[in-house]
Amino acid sequence: KGGKKGGGEKKKAKKEKDMTADVAPETLYEELIDQGIVKKIAPWTLSQMTGQYNFLGSNLTSQKKTADASFHDLHRTLVEYCALPLGSQALHETQPKHIKGLLLVGPPGVGKRALVSAIAYELGANYFDLTPSNTSGKYLSKGLDGVDGLLHKVFKLAKLWQPSVIHIGDAA
């Protein structure tokens, strides 16, 4: 007879161990503030940012061709799909799908960091700065004091205290 042995038995999924189960979230938060990972955002809003509308892009879009997004398009999309649903509980509950994560990609100097800061400020979000310039040389050991521990703490706190913005920039 062919087939699998043990018929119908399912493998149990590994449950990830909480490395900081015995530590209060407030203590973890204070530790990340002391290490410079949690930062206070300067007052900067999306409405203060200006850009141009791409008329050629709208023409190409109407012709079913893909065009590079203009700053105006990006600004509108961020407000509609990111800032409004996260900032308004009623809108968050009524929208069928909402953004849980956002990836901004582009060449240096186009304003990605400013956009991230403006979103975090407008939402009153926790801002976790995981840029290499902020974390280099700090997390060289293994375990809870290393990179794994840092990421565990950041994602645990970001999940507990929403909305949160985790900024991983300048990673080449």
Side-chain angles (χ1 to χ4, degrees):
K1 291 181 177 180
K4 293 183 177 180
K5 292 184 179 179
E9 289 182 29
K10 294 182 180 179
K11 281 187 173 181
K12 290 184 180 179
K14 278 188 175 180
K15 190 171 183 179
E16 291 199 27
K17 184 179 149 186
D18 185 0
M19 298 165 60
T20 57
D22 58 339
V23 182
E26 293 81 8
T27 307
L28 294 175
Y29 196 74
E30 288 174 16
E31 179 183 328
L32 291 177
I33 289 172
D34 292 341
Q35 294 172 351
I37 301 298
V38 176
K39 293 190 173 182
K40 186 175 181 178
I41 296 296
W44 184 255
T45 63
L46 287 170
S47 60
Q48 290 175 302
M49 300 182 81
T50 58
Q52 297 179 357
Y53 186 76
N54 186 350
F55 291 105
L56 177 61
S58 62
N59 267 349
L60 289 174
T61 304
S62 67
Q63 297 171 11
K64 307 271 191 252
K65 295 180 182 176
T66 306
D68 291 339
S70 67
F71 182 81
H72 175 76
D73 297 331
L74 177 61
H75 182 273
R76 188 190 73 237
T77 303
L78 283 174
V79 169
E80 288 177 7
Y81 293 103
C82 189
L84 287 177
L86 290 174
S88 164
Q89 186 63 28
L91 190 58
H92 180 77
E93 291 171 355
T94 57
Q95 244 187 354
K97 290 184 178 182
H98 57 277
I99 288 181
K100 292 186 180 186
L102 178 68
L103 175 65
L104 296 176
V105 179
V110 296
K112 296 179 296 291
R113 183 183 300 258
L115 284 168
V116 168
S117 298
I119 289 169
Y121 179 75
E122 285 202 12
L123 296 176
N126 296 299
Y127 182 80
F128 298 94
D129 184 5
L130 295 181
T131 56
S133 60
N134 191 36
T135 58
S136 66
K138 292 182 183 178
Y139 304 96
L140 302 176
S141 61
K142 295 197 180 236
L144 196 54
D145 293 328
V147 174
D148 293 343
L150 169 67
L151 292 176
H152 174 79
K153 293 171 196 174
V154 167
F155 283 99
K156 178 179 181 174
L157 292 173
K159 188 175 181 179
L160 282 173
W161 294 327
Q162 298 176 17
S164 292
V165 171
I166 301 171
H167 181 220
I168 306 171
D170 306 326

